[in-house]
Amino acid sequence: MLKLRALFYRLQESKTVIRTVYINGTQLGDGDPDLVGVTVGQVGADFVLFNQVGSSAGIGSVVVPLDQITAMDY
């Protein structure tokens, strides 16, 4: 979990746009990603706050527990 959190810190610092984030147990049968086109807004001890690219602060934000993130493409 520490390596994953460190990765999110690096993505936050570089303002990298993450193309897709998959979250455990929430995909539909076709495997659509839960989050598309997001940046990391905050990294906590056990969560990540994702911000939708192009949205105002606080609007389009989603908090995801680190242990629920199954995959991502950036």
Side-chain angles (χ1 to χ4, degrees):
M1 183 105 45
L2 291 175
K3 288 182 181 183
L4 183 59
R5 190 167 56 213
L7 171 62
F8 281 116
Y9 277 122
R10 286 194 306 272
L11 292 172
Q12 179 184 19
E13 289 297 316
S14 66
K15 299 179 183 5
T16 300
V17 175
I18 302 169
R19 288 184 285 223
T20 55
V21 178
Y22 293 88
I23 301 169
N24 189 31
T26 58
Q27 277 73 51
L28 301 173
D30 58 4
D32 288 337
D34 289 293
L35 302 172
V36 177
V38 295
T39 58
V40 177
Q42 180 181 354
V43 181
D46 61 349
F47 71 91
V48 177
L49 175 92
F50 293 101
N51 295 318
Q52 190 70 41
V53 173
S55 65
S56 300
I59 299 173
S61 298
V62 177
V63 176
V64 179
L66 280 171
D67 65 351
Q68 296 300 306
I69 298 170
T70 58
M72 66 178 171
D73 181 25
Y74 57 95

